[in-house]
Coordinates of all heavy atoms in Angstrom, one line a residue:
M36 N -192.4 -108.5 28.2 CA -193.3 -109.2 27.3 C -192.5 -110.2 26.6 O -191.6 -109.9 25.7 CB -193.9 -108.2 26.3 CG -195.1 -108.8 25.6 SD -196.0 -107.5 24.6 CE -196.9 -108.5 23.5
R37 N -192.8 -111.5 26.8 CA -192.0 -112.6 26.1 C -192.5 -112.9 24.7 O -191.9 -113.6 24.0 CB -192.1 -113.8 27.0 CG -191.1 -113.9 28.1 CD -189.7 -114.2 27.6 NE -189.6 -115.3 26.7 CZ -189.4 -116.6 27.1 NH1 -189.4 -116.9 28.4 NH2 -189.3 -117.5 26.2
G38 N -193.8 -112.5 24.4 CA -194.3 -112.8 23.1 C -195.1 -114.1 23.1 O -195.2 -114.8 24.1
E39 N -195.6 -114.5 21.9 CA -196.3 -115.7 21.7 C -195.7 -116.6 20.7 O -194.8 -116.2 19.9 CB -197.7 -115.3 21.3 CG -198.5 -114.5 22.4 CD -200.0 -114.5 22.0 OE1 -200.3 -114.2 20.9 OE2 -200.8 -114.8 22.9
K40 N -196.1 -117.8 20.8 CA -195.5 -118.8 19.9 C -196.7 -119.6 19.3 O -197.5 -120.1 20.1 CB -194.6 -119.7 20.7 CG -194.1 -121.0 20.1 CD -193.0 -120.8 19.2 CE -192.6 -122.1 18.5 NZ -191.9 -121.9 17.3
S41 N -196.7 -119.8 18.0 CA -197.8 -120.5 17.5 C -197.5 -122.0 17.5 O -196.3 -122.4 17.3 CB -198.1 -120.1 16.0 OG -197.1 -120.7 15.1
C42 N -198.5 -122.8 17.8 CA -198.4 -124.2 18.0 C -198.0 -124.8 16.6 O -198.7 -124.6 15.6 CB -199.6 -124.8 18.6 SG -199.6 -126.6 18.6
P43 N -197.0 -125.7 16.5 CA -196.7 -126.3 15.2 C -197.8 -127.3 14.8 O -197.8 -127.7 13.6 CB -195.4 -127.0 15.5 CG -195.3 -127.2 17.0 CD -196.0 -126.1 17.6
N44 N -198.6 -127.8 15.8 CA -199.6 -128.8 15.5 C -200.9 -128.1 15.1 O -201.5 -128.3 14.0 CB -199.8 -129.7 16.6 CG -200.7 -130.8 16.3 OD1 -200.7 -131.4 15.3 ND2 -201.7 -131.0 17.3
C45 N -201.5 -127.3 16.0 CA -202.8 -126.7 15.7 C -202.8 -125.3 15.3 O -203.9 -124.7 15.1 CB -203.7 -126.9 17.0 SG -203.1 -125.9 18.4
K46 N -201.6 -124.7 15.3 CA -201.3 -123.3 14.8 C -202.0 -122.2 15.8 O -202.0 -121.1 15.4 CB -201.9 -123.1 13.4 CG -201.5 -124.1 12.4 CD -200.1 -124.1 12.1 CE -199.6 -125.1 11.1 NZ -198.2 -125.6 11.2
R47 N -202.5 -122.6 16.9 CA -203.1 -121.6 17.8 C -201.9 -121.0 18.6 O -200.9 -121.6 18.8 CB -204.1 -122.3 18.7 CG -205.4 -122.6 18.0 CD -206.5 -122.6 18.9 NE -207.1 -123.9 19.0 CZ -208.3 -124.2 19.7 NH1 -208.8 -123.2 20.4 NH2 -208.7 -125.5 19.8
W48 N -202.2 -119.8 19.1 CA -201.1 -119.0 19.7 C -201.1 -119.3 21.2 O -202.1 -119.4 21.9 CB -201.3 -117.5 19.5 CG -201.0 -117.2 18.1 CD1 -201.9 -117.1 17.1 CD2 -199.7 -116.8 17.5 NE1 -201.3 -116.7 15.9 CE2 -200.0 -116.6 16.2 CE3 -198.4 -116.7 18.0 CZ2 -198.9 -116.3 15.3 CZ3 -197.4 -116.4 17.1 CH2 -197.7 -116.2 15.8
N49 N -199.9 -119.6 21.7 CA -199.7 -119.9 23.1 C -198.7 -118.8 23.7 O -197.9 -118.2 22.9 CB -199.0 -121.3 23.2 CG -200.0 -122.4 23.0 OD1 -200.6 -122.9 24.0 ND2 -200.2 -122.7 21.8
N50 N -198.7 -118.7 25.0 CA -197.7 -117.9 25.6 C -196.3 -118.6 25.4 O -196.3 -119.8 25.5 CB -198.0 -117.9 27.1 CG -197.1 -117.0 27.9 OD1 -195.9 -116.8 27.6 ND2 -197.7 -116.2 28.8
A51 N -195.3 -117.8 25.0 CA -194.0 -118.5 24.6 C -193.4 -119.1 25.8 O -192.4 -119.9 25.6 CB -193.1 -117.4 24.0
E52 N -193.8 -118.8 27.0 CA -193.3 -119.5 28.2 C -193.8 -120.9 28.4 O -193.2 -121.7 29.2 CB -193.5 -118.7 29.4 CG -192.6 -117.4 29.5 CD -192.9 -116.5 30.6 OE1 -193.5 -116.9 31.6 OE2 -192.5 -115.3 30.5
E53 N -194.9 -121.2 27.7 CA -195.5 -122.6 27.8 C -194.5 -123.6 27.1 O -193.9 -123.2 26.0 CB -196.8 -122.7 27.2 CG -197.9 -121.8 27.8 CD -198.3 -122.3 29.2 OE1 -198.1 -123.5 29.4 OE2 -198.9 -121.6 30.0
V54 N -194.4 -124.7 27.6 CA -193.6 -125.8 26.9 C -194.5 -126.5 25.9 O -194.0 -126.8 24.8 CB -192.9 -126.7 28.0 CG1 -192.2 -127.8 27.3 CG2 -192.0 -125.9 28.9
H55 N -195.7 -126.8 26.3 CA -196.6 -127.6 25.5 C -197.8 -126.7 25.2 O -198.2 -125.8 26.0 CB -197.1 -128.8 26.2 CG -196.0 -129.9 26.4 ND1 -195.3 -129.9 27.6 CD2 -195.4 -130.8 25.6 CE1 -194.4 -130.9 27.5 NE2 -194.4 -131.4 26.2
C56 N -198.4 -126.9 24.0 CA -199.6 -126.2 23.6 C -200.7 -126.4 24.6 O -201.0 -127.5 25.0 CB -200.0 -126.7 22.2 SG -201.5 -126.0 21.6
I57 N -201.3 -125.3 25.1 CA -202.4 -125.4 26.0 C -203.7 -126.0 25.4 O -204.6 -126.4 26.1 CB -202.7 -124.1 26.8 CG1 -203.1 -123.0 25.8 CG2 -201.5 -123.7 27.6 CD1 -203.6 -121.7 26.4
Y58 N -203.7 -125.9 24.1 CA -205.0 -126.5 23.4 C -204.8 -127.9 23.0 O -205.8 -128.7 23.2 CB -205.2 -125.6 22.1 CG -205.3 -124.2 22.4 CD1 -204.2 -123.3 22.2 CD2 -206.5 -123.6 23.0 CE1 -204.3 -122.0 22.4 CE2 -206.6 -122.3 23.2 CZ -205.5 -121.4 23.0 OH -205.6 -120.1 23.2
C59 N -203.7 -128.3 22.4 CA -203.7 -129.8 22.0 C -202.5 -130.6 22.6 O -202.4 -131.7 22.5 CB -203.4 -129.8 20.4 SG -201.8 -129.2 19.9
G60 N -201.6 -129.8 23.4 CA -200.6 -130.5 24.1 C -199.3 -130.8 23.4 O -198.4 -131.5 23.9
A61 N -199.3 -130.3 22.1 CA -198.1 -130.6 21.3 C -196.9 -129.7 21.9 O -197.1 -128.7 22.5 CB -198.4 -130.2 19.8
E62 N -195.8 -130.3 21.6 CA -194.6 -129.6 22.1 C -194.3 -128.3 21.2 O -194.2 -128.4 20.0 CB -193.4 -130.5 22.1 CG -192.2 -130.0 22.9 CD -191.1 -131.0 23.0 OE1 -191.3 -132.1 22.6 OE2 -190.1 -130.6 23.5
L63 N -194.3 -127.2 21.9 CA -194.2 -125.9 21.1 C -192.8 -125.6 20.5 O -192.7 -125.2 19.4 CB -194.6 -124.7 22.0 CG -196.0 -124.6 22.5 CD1 -196.1 -123.4 23.4 CD2 -196.9 -124.4 21.3
F64 N -191.8 -126.1 21.2 CA -190.5 -125.8 20.7 C -189.8 -127.1 20.3 O -188.6 -127.2 20.4 CB -189.6 -125.1 21.8 CG -190.2 -123.7 22.1 CD1 -191.1 -123.6 23.2 CD2 -189.9 -122.6 21.4 CE1 -191.6 -122.3 23.5 CE2 -190.4 -121.4 21.6 CZ -191.3 -121.3 22.7
E65 N -190.5 -128.0 19.7 CA -189.9 -129.3 19.3 C -188.8 -129.1 18.3 O -187.7 -129.7 18.4 CB -191.0 -130.1 18.6 CG -190.5 -131.5 18.4 CD -191.5 -132.5 17.7 OE1 -192.5 -131.9 17.2 OE2 -191.3 -133.7 17.7
K66 N -189.0 -128.2 17.3 CA -187.9 -128.0 16.3 C -186.7 -127.4 16.9 O -185.6 -127.8 16.7 CB -188.5 -127.0 15.2 CG -188.1 -127.3 13.8 CD -189.0 -126.5 12.8 CE -188.3 -126.2 11.6 NZ -189.0 -125.2 10.8
E67 N -186.9 -126.3 17.8 CA -185.8 -125.7 18.5 C -185.1 -126.8 19.3 O -183.8 -126.7 19.4 CB -186.3 -124.6 19.3 CG -186.8 -123.4 18.5 CD -188.2 -123.5 18.1 OE1 -188.8 -124.5 18.1 OE2 -188.7 -122.4 17.7
R68 N -185.8 -127.6 20.0 CA -185.2 -128.6 20.8 C -184.4 -129.6 20.0 O -183.3 -129.9 20.4 CB -186.3 -129.4 21.6 CG -185.8 -130.4 22.6 CD -186.8 -131.0 23.5 NE -187.9 -131.6 22.7 CZ -187.8 -132.9 22.1 NH1 -186.7 -133.5 22.3 NH2 -188.8 -133.4 21.5
Q69 N -184.9 -130.0 18.8 CA -184.2 -131.0 18.0 C -182.9 -130.4 17.5 O -181.9 -131.0 17.4 CB -185.1 -131.4 16.8 CG -186.0 -132.4 17.3 CD -187.1 -132.8 16.2 OE1 -187.1 -132.0 15.2 NE2 -187.9 -133.8 16.4
V70 N -182.9 -129.1 17.1 CA -181.8 -128.3 16.6 C -180.7 -128.3 17.7 O -179.6 -128.6 17.5 CB -182.1 -126.9 16.1 CG1 -180.9 -126.1 15.9 CG2 -183.0 -127.0 14.8
K71 N -181.2 -128.0 18.9 CA -180.3 -127.9 20.0 C -179.7 -129.3 20.4 O -178.5 -129.4 20.6 CB -181.1 -127.4 21.3 CG -180.3 -127.0 22.4 CD -181.1 -126.2 23.4 CE -180.4 -126.1 24.8 NZ -180.7 -127.1 25.7
E72 N -180.5 -130.3 20.3 CA -180.0 -131.7 20.6 C -179.0 -132.1 19.6 O -178.0 -132.8 19.9 CB -181.2 -132.7 20.7 CG -181.9 -132.6 22.0 CD -183.1 -133.5 22.1 OE1 -183.4 -134.2 21.1 OE2 -183.8 -133.6 23.2
N73 N -179.3 -131.8 18.2 CA -178.3 -132.1 17.2 C -177.0 -131.4 17.4 O -175.9 -132.0 17.2 CB -178.9 -131.6 15.8 CG -179.8 -132.6 15.3 OD1 -179.9 -133.8 15.7 ND2 -180.6 -132.2 14.3
L74 N -177.1 -130.1 17.9 CA -175.9 -129.4 18.2 C -175.1 -130.1 19.3 O -173.8 -130.1 19.3 CB -176.2 -127.9 18.5 CG -176.4 -127.0 17.3 CD1 -176.8 -125.6 17.9 CD2 -175.2 -126.9 16.5
E75 N -175.9 -130.5 20.3 CA -175.2 -131.1 21.5 C -174.6 -132.4 21.1 O -173.6 -132.9 21.6 CB -176.2 -131.2 22.6 CG -176.4 -129.9 23.4 CD -177.6 -129.9 24.3 OE1 -178.2 -130.9 24.4 OE2 -177.8 -128.8 25.0
A76 N -175.3 -133.2 20.2 CA -174.8 -134.5 19.8 C -173.6 -134.3 18.9 O -172.6 -135.1 19.0 CB -175.9 -135.2 19.0
N77 N -173.5 -133.3 18.1 CA -172.3 -133.0 17.3 C -171.8 -131.6 17.6 O -171.9 -130.6 16.9 CB -172.7 -133.0 15.8 CG -173.4 -134.3 15.5 OD1 -172.8 -135.4 15.6 ND2 -174.6 -134.2 15.1
P78 N -171.1 -131.4 18.8 CA -170.7 -130.2 19.1 C -169.6 -129.6 18.2 O -169.6 -128.4 17.9 CB -170.1 -130.3 20.5 CG -169.8 -131.8 20.6 CD -170.8 -132.5 19.7
D79 N -168.8 -130.4 17.6 CA -167.8 -130.0 16.7 C -167.9 -130.7 15.4 O -167.6 -131.9 15.4 CB -166.4 -130.1 17.3 CG -165.4 -129.6 16.4 OD1 -165.7 -129.1 15.3 OD2 -164.2 -129.6 16.8
P80 N -168.4 -130.1 14.3 CA -168.6 -130.9 13.0 C -167.3 -131.4 12.4 O -167.3 -132.2 11.6 CB -169.3 -129.9 12.1 CG -169.0 -128.5 12.6 CD -168.8 -128.7 14.2
F81 N -166.2 -130.8 12.8 CA -164.9 -131.2 12.3 C -164.1 -132.2 13.2 O -163.0 -132.5 13.0 CB -164.0 -130.0 12.0 CG -164.6 -129.1 10.9 CD1 -165.2 -127.9 11.1 CD2 -164.4 -129.6 9.6 CE1 -165.7 -127.1 10.1 CE2 -165.0 -128.8 8.5 CZ -165.6 -127.6 8.8
K82 N -164.8 -132.5 14.3 CA -164.2 -133.5 15.2 C -164.1 -134.9 14.5 O -165.0 -135.3 13.8 CB -165.0 -133.6 16.5 CG -164.2 -134.3 17.5 CD -165.0 -134.3 18.9 CE -164.2 -135.1 19.9 NZ -165.1 -135.6 20.9
I83 N -163.0 -135.5 14.6 CA -162.8 -136.8 13.8 C -163.5 -137.9 14.5 O -163.2 -138.2 15.7 CB -161.3 -137.0 13.7 CG1 -160.6 -135.9 13.1 CG2 -161.1 -138.3 12.9 CD1 -159.0 -136.0 13.1
P84 N -164.4 -138.5 13.8 CA -165.1 -139.6 14.4 C -164.2 -140.9 14.4 O -164.4 -141.8 13.6 CB -166.3 -139.8 13.6 CG -166.0 -139.3 12.3 CD -164.9 -138.3 12.5
L85 N -163.3 -141.0 15.3 CA -162.4 -142.1 15.3 C -163.0 -143.4 15.7 O -164.0 -143.4 16.5 CB -161.2 -141.8 16.3 CG -160.2 -140.8 15.8 CD1 -159.1 -140.5 16.9 CD2 -159.5 -141.2 14.5
V86 N -162.4 -144.5 15.3 CA -162.9 -145.8 15.7 C -162.5 -146.0 17.2 O -161.5 -145.6 17.6 CB -162.1 -146.9 14.9 CG1 -162.4 -148.3 15.4 CG2 -162.6 -146.8 13.4
K87 N -163.5 -146.5 17.9 CA -163.3 -146.7 19.3 C -162.6 -148.0 19.6 O -162.9 -149.0 19.0 CB -164.6 -146.8 20.1 CG -165.4 -145.5 20.1 CD -165.0 -144.6 21.2 CE -165.9 -143.4 21.4 NZ -166.1 -142.6 20.2
I88 N -161.6 -147.9 20.4 CA -160.8 -149.1 20.8 C -161.3 -149.6 22.1 O -161.3 -148.9 23.1 CB -159.3 -148.8 20.8 CG1 -158.8 -148.6 19.4 CG2 -158.5 -150.1 21.3 CD1 -157.3 -148.3 19.3
D89 N -161.8 -150.8 22.1 CA -162.3 -151.4 23.3 C -161.2 -152.2 24.0 O -160.4 -152.8 23.4 CB -163.4 -152.5 22.9 CG -164.3 -152.8 24.1 OD1 -163.8 -153.1 25.1 OD2 -165.6 -152.6 23.9
S90 N -161.1 -152.0 25.3 CA -160.1 -152.7 26.1 C -160.2 -154.2 26.0 O -159.3 -154.9 26.2 CB -160.1 -152.2 27.5 OG -161.3 -152.5 28.0
K91 N -161.4 -154.7 25.6 CA -161.6 -156.1 25.5 C -161.2 -156.7 24.1 O -161.2 -157.9 24.0 CB -163.1 -156.5 25.7 CG -163.6 -156.2 27.2 CD -165.0 -156.9 27.4 CE -166.1 -156.3 26.5 NZ -166.5 -154.9 26.9
D92 N -160.9 -155.8 23.2 CA -160.5 -156.2 21.9 C -159.2 -157.0 21.9 O -158.3 -156.7 22.8 CB -160.3 -155.0 21.0 CG -161.7 -154.4 20.6 OD1 -162.7 -155.0 20.7 OD2 -161.7 -153.2 20.1
G93 N -159.1 -157.9 21.0 CA -157.8 -158.7 21.0 C -156.7 -157.8 20.4 O -156.9 -156.7 19.9
Y94 N -155.5 -158.4 20.5 CA -154.3 -157.6 20.1 C -154.4 -157.2 18.6 O -154.1 -156.1 18.2 CB -153.0 -158.5 20.3 CG -151.8 -157.9 19.8 CD1 -151.1 -156.8 20.6 CD2 -151.2 -158.3 18.7 CE1 -150.0 -156.3 20.1 CE2 -150.0 -157.8 18.2 CZ -149.4 -156.7 18.9 OH -148.3 -156.1 18.5
L95 N -154.8 -158.2 17.8 CA -154.8 -157.9 16.3 C -155.9 -156.9 16.0 O -155.7 -156.0 15.1 CB -155.1 -159.3 15.6 CG -153.9 -160.0 15.1 CD1 -154.3 -161.4 14.5 CD2 -153.1 -159.3 14.1
L96 N -157.0 -157.0 16.7 CA -158.1 -156.0 16.5 C -157.7 -154.6 16.9 O -158.0 -153.7 16.2 CB -159.4 -156.5 17.3 CG -160.7 -155.9 16.9 CD1 -161.0 -156.1 15.4 CD2 -161.9 -156.5 17.7
I97 N -157.0 -154.5 18.0 CA -156.5 -153.2 18.5 C -155.6 -152.7 17.4 O -155.6 -151.5 17.0 CB -155.9 -153.3 19.8 CG1 -156.9 -153.6 20.9 CG2 -155.1 -152.0 20.2 CD1 -156.4 -153.9 22.3
F98 N -154.7 -153.5 17.0 CA -153.7 -153.1 16.0 C -154.5 -152.6 14.7 O -154.2 -151.5 14.2 CB -152.8 -154.3 15.6 CG -151.7 -153.9 14.6 CD1 -150.6 -153.2 15.0 CD2 -151.8 -154.4 13.3 CE1 -149.6 -152.8 14.0 CE2 -150.8 -154.0 12.3 CZ -149.7 -153.3 12.8
G99 N -155.4 -153.4 14.2 CA -156.1 -153.0 13.0 C -156.9 -151.7 13.2 O -156.9 -150.8 12.3
K100 N -157.6 -151.5 14.4 CA -158.3 -150.3 14.7 C -157.3 -149.1 14.8 O -157.7 -148.0 14.3 CB -159.0 -150.4 16.0 CG -160.3 -151.2 15.8 CD -161.1 -151.3 17.1 CE -162.4 -152.0 17.0 NZ -163.2 -152.1 18.2
R101 N -156.1 -149.3 15.3 CA -155.1 -148.2 15.3 C -154.8 -147.8 13.9 O -154.6 -146.6 13.7 CB -153.9 -148.6 16.1 CG -154.1 -148.6 17.6 CD -152.8 -148.4 18.3 NE -152.9 -148.7 19.8 CZ -153.4 -147.8 20.7 NH1 -153.9 -146.8 20.2 NH2 -153.6 -148.2 21.9
M102 N -154.6 -148.8 13.0 CA -154.3 -148.5 11.7 C -155.5 -147.7 10.9 O -155.2 -146.7 10.3 CB -154.1 -149.8 10.8 CG -152.9 -150.6 11.2 SD -151.4 -149.6 11.2 CE -151.2 -149.5 9.4
I103 N -156.7 -148.0 11.3 CA -157.9 -147.3 10.8 C -157.8 -145.9 11.3 O -158.1 -144.9 10.6 CB -159.2 -148.1 11.2 CG1 -159.2 -149.4 10.4 CG2 -160.4 -147.1 10.8 CD1 -160.3 -150.3 10.9
Q104 N -157.6 -145.7 12.6 CA -157.5 -144.4 13.2 C -156.5 -143.6 12.5 O -156.7 -142.4 12.2 CB -157.1 -144.5 14.7 CG -158.3 -144.9 15.6 CD -157.9 -144.9 17.0 OE1 -156.8 -144.9 17.4 NE2 -158.9 -144.8 17.9
L105 N -155.3 -144.2 12.2 CA -154.2 -143.5 11.5 C -154.7 -143.0 10.1 O -154.5 -141.8 9.8 CB -153.0 -144.4 11.4 CG -151.7 -143.7 11.0 CD1 -151.2 -142.8 12.1 CD2 -150.6 -144.7 10.6
V106 N -155.3 -143.9 9.4 CA -155.9 -143.5 8.1 C -156.9 -142.4 8.3 O -156.9 -141.5 7.4 CB -156.5 -144.8 7.4 CG1 -157.3 -144.4 6.2 CG2 -155.4 -145.8 7.1
Q107 N -157.8 -142.5 9.3 CA -158.8 -141.5 9.5 C -158.2 -140.1 9.8 O -158.6 -139.1 9.2 CB -159.7 -141.9 10.7 CG -160.7 -143.0 10.4 CD -161.7 -143.3 11.5 OE1 -161.1 -143.4 12.6 NE2 -162.8 -143.5 11.2
I108 N -157.2 -140.1 10.6 CA -156.4 -138.9 11.0 C -155.9 -138.2 9.7 O -156.0 -137.1 9.4 CB -155.4 -139.0 12.1 CG1 -156.2 -139.4 13.4 CG2 -154.5 -137.8 12.3 CD1 -155.2 -139.9 14.5
V109 N -155.2 -139.1 8.9 CA -154.6 -138.6 7.7 C -155.6 -138.1 6.7 O -155.4 -137.0 6.1 CB -153.7 -139.8 7.0 CG1 -153.2 -139.3 5.6 CG2 -152.5 -140.1 7.9
F110 N -156.6 -138.8 6.6 CA -157.8 -138.5 5.7 C -158.4 -137.1 6.1 O -158.5 -136.2 5.2 CB -158.9 -139.5 5.7 CG -160.0 -139.2 4.9 CD1 -160.0 -139.3 3.4 CD2 -161.2 -138.8 5.4 CE1 -161.1 -139.0 2.7 CE2 -162.3 -138.5 4.7 CZ -162.3 -138.6 3.3
F111 N -158.7 -137.0 7.4 CA -159.3 -135.7 7.9 C -158.3 -134.6 7.8 O -158.7 -133.4 7.5 CB -159.9 -135.9 9.2 CG -161.2 -136.5 9.3 CD1 -161.3 -137.8 9.4 CD2 -162.3 -135.7 9.0 CE1 -162.6 -138.5 9.4 CE2 -163.6 -136.4 9.0 CZ -163.8 -137.7 9.2
G112 N -157.0 -134.9 7.9 CA -156.0 -133.9 7.8 C -156.0 -133.3 6.4 O -155.9 -132.1 6.2
I113 N -155.9 -134.2 5.4 CA -155.9 -133.9 4.0 C -157.3 -133.1 3.7 O -157.2 -132.0 3.0 CB -155.8 -135.1 3.1 CG1 -154.4 -135.7 3.3 CG2 -156.1 -134.7 1.6 CD1 -154.3 -137.1 2.7
L114 N -158.4 -133.6 4.2 CA -159.7 -132.9 4.0 C -159.6 -131.5 4.5 O -160.0 -130.5 3.8 CB -160.7 -133.7 4.7 CG -162.2 -133.5 4.2 CD1 -162.4 -134.0 2.8 CD2 -163.2 -134.1 5.2
S115 N -159.2 -131.3 5.7 CA -159.2 -130.0 6.3 C -158.2 -129.0 5.6 O -158.4 -127.9 5.5 CB -158.8 -130.0 7.8 OG -157.6 -130.7 8.0
L116 N -157.1 -129.7 5.1 CA -156.1 -128.9 4.3 C -156.8 -128.4 3.0 O -156.6 -127.3 2.6 CB -154.9 -129.8 4.0 CG -153.7 -129.0 3.3 CD1 -153.0 -128.0 4.2 CD2 -152.7 -130.1 2.7
L117 N -157.5 -129.3 2.4 CA -158.2 -128.9 1.1 C -159.2 -127.9 1.4 O -159.3 -126.9 0.6 CB -158.8 -130.2 0.5 CG -158.0 -131.2 -0.1 CD1 -158.7 -132.4 -0.6 CD2 -157.3 -130.6 -1.3
L118 N -160.0 -128.0 2.5 CA -160.9 -126.9 2.9 C -160.3 -125.6 3.2 O -160.7 -124.5 2.7 CB -161.7 -127.4 4.1 CG -162.8 -128.5 3.9 CD1 -163.3 -128.9 5.3 CD2 -163.9 -128.0 3.1
W119 N -159.1 -125.7 3.8 CA -158.4 -124.5 4.1 C -157.9 -123.8 2.8 O -158.0 -122.6 2.6 CB -157.1 -124.9 4.9 CG -156.3 -123.6 5.4 CD1 -156.6 -122.6 6.2 CD2 -155.0 -123.3 4.8 NE1 -155.6 -121.7 6.2 CE2 -154.6 -122.1 5.4 CE3 -154.2 -124.0 3.9 CZ2 -153.4 -121.6 5.1 CZ3 -152.9 -123.4 3.6 CH2 -152.5 -122.3 4.2
I120 N -157.3 -124.6 1.9 CA -156.9 -124.1 0.6 C -158.1 -123.5 -0.1 O -158.0 -122.4 -0.8 CB -156.2 -125.2 -0.3 CG1 -154.9 -125.7 0.4 CG2 -156.1 -124.8 -1.8 CD1 -154.3 -126.9 -0.2
A121 N -159.2 -124.2 -0.2 CA -160.4 -123.7 -0.9 C -160.9 -122.4 -0.3 O -161.4 -121.5 -1.0 CB -161.5 -124.8 -0.8
S122 N -160.7 -122.2 1.1 CA -161.1 -121.0 1.7 C -160.2 -119.8 1.4 O -160.7 -118.7 1.5 CB -161.3 -121.2 3.2 OG -160.0 -121.4 3.8
I123 N -159.0 -120.0 1.1 CA -158.1 -118.9 0.9 C -158.0 -118.6 -0.6 O -157.5 -117.5 -1.0 CB -156.7 -119.1 1.5 CG1 -156.0 -120.4 0.9 CG2 -156.6 -119.2 3.0 CD1 -154.5 -120.5 1.1
L124 N -158.5 -119.4 -1.4 CA -158.5 -119.2 -2.9 C -159.6 -118.1 -3.2 O -160.7 -118.2 -2.7 CB -158.8 -120.4 -3.7 CG -157.6 -121.4 -3.8 CD1 -158.1 -122.7 -4.6 CD2 -156.5 -120.8 -4.6
P125 N -159.3 -117.2 -4.0 CA -160.3 -116.2 -4.4 C -161.5 -116.8 -5.2 O -161.2 -117.7 -6.0 CB -159.6 -115.1 -5.1 CG -158.3 -115.8 -5.7 CD -158.1 -116.9 -4.7
G126 N -162.7 -116.4 -5.0 CA -163.8 -116.9 -5.8 C -164.4 -118.1 -5.1 O -165.1 -118.8 -5.6
Ligands
ZN84 ZN1 -201.6 -127.0 19.7

């Protein structure tokens, strides 16, 4: 027995194996799907969103972006260190 799922739109009960509401056609697991998609889009919340270096960028632009990346790495390093200190402190 898989159970039932109430439609987020019309609140009627559907078989949980249905993807769309059989009464109004709304997506039954829209919220679950969005949560899943968000997780897939951001698999690691602590992953550093570094500036992308394009191979078409000019020399100065690449240099500038590398400097930004360095700052980002240092910044996130300090941030994770602070989080780590905060997590080991009592209270
Ligand atoms: Zn419905």
Side-chain angles (χ1 to χ4, degrees):
M36 195 171 160
R37 276 288 309 274
E39 293 192 314
K40 167 85 181 155
S41 77
C42 172
N44 184 43
C45 67
K46 312 292 180 206
R47 288 210 243 186
W48 290 93
N49 285 262
N50 188 321
E52 285 174 22
E53 297 288 339
V54 176
H55 294 95
C56 175
I57 56 168
Y58 303 102
C59 71
E62 198 172 348
L63 290 177
F64 296 95
E65 191 185 8
K66 221 167 145 188
E67 287 85 345
R68 183 173 57 80
Q69 282 171 351
V70 168
K71 193 167 164 272
E72 280 178 359
N73 278 342
L74 278 175
E75 281 167 2
N77 307 298
D79 185 358
F81 293 104
K82 199 177 172 199
I83 304 174
L85 287 178
V86 168
K87 293 272 191 302
I88 293 180
D89 201 309
S90 55
K91 293 193 297 288
D92 288 342
Y94 176 77
L95 272 174
L96 196 56
I97 290 172
F98 182 76
K100 282 184 178 178
R101 283 204 193 282
M102 293 305 287
I103 293 169
Q104 284 185 339
L105 193 68
V106 170
Q107 284 182 317
I108 289 166
V109 170
F110 176 76
F111 279 96
I113 292 168
L114 199 70
S115 57
L116 185 69
L117 286 175
L118 285 172
W119 179 73
I120 290 168
S122 69
I123 58 168
L124 283 174

